[in-house]
Amino acid sequence: FAASLASVQAAAASPASDEASWPATTRALERKGTEYRERLAALAAAVPPDASAARFDELDALRAEVASATVELEETRGAIAEFAGLPHNLEEAEAILDAEREELARLLRMKNDLLRRML
């Protein structure tokens, strides 16, 4: 491959008036043409018979579906993250809520006491 390409490039670099090199250039180009046809045939043989534009359209549709599912997954993960750190059972959650309400009531009493003292 590289040798025939080099001969074609060398022939192309020589002056166009050198008619003696034309047959060699023609033969080199014919060899390259044959090589390219063989490579094209090998590539065509490697493509599965069911590969078609419709198949690629299906892949594009699947890619769009995956992108949509990814967005939905991230939204769901965000919603789940809001519940991180919460207790696993209702009784424990109610106990924590009661304790926090008592703390809030204590802080409100303290605030009211401080406001009364200021007046």
Side-chain angles (χ1 to χ4, degrees), residues 25-44:
T25 303
T26 302
R27 285 191 302 274
L29 289 172
E30 287 173 349
R31 283 193 306 270
K32 290 305 293 174
T34 302
E35 177 186 343
Y36 287 149
R37 281 189 290 278
E38 290 170 358
R39 290 172 66 186
L40 184 58
L43 286 173

Side-chain angles (χ1 to χ4, degrees), residues 94-106:
E94 287 174 344
I96 292 172
L97 181 60
D98 289 341
E100 294 298 323
R101 283 184 178 155
E102 289 174 10
E103 177 66 12
L104 177 61
R106 185 185 69 78

Side-chain angles (χ1 to χ4, degrees), residues 11-74:
S14 65
S17 63
D18 186 12
E19 293 182 18
S21 67
W22 288 0
T25 303
T26 302
R27 285 191 302 274
L29 289 172
E30 287 173 349
R31 283 193 306 270
K32 290 305 293 174
T34 302
E35 177 186 343
Y36 287 149
R37 281 189 290 278
E38 290 170 358
R39 290 172 66 186
L40 184 58
L43 286 173
V47 175
D50 64 341
S52 65
R55 180 87 171 138
F56 292 112
D57 291 342
E58 291 173 17
L59 290 175
D60 282 341
L62 286 174
R63 185 176 297 124
E65 189 177 326
V66 167
S68 174
T70 302
V71 169
E72 185 178 341
L73 175 64
E74 291 305 317

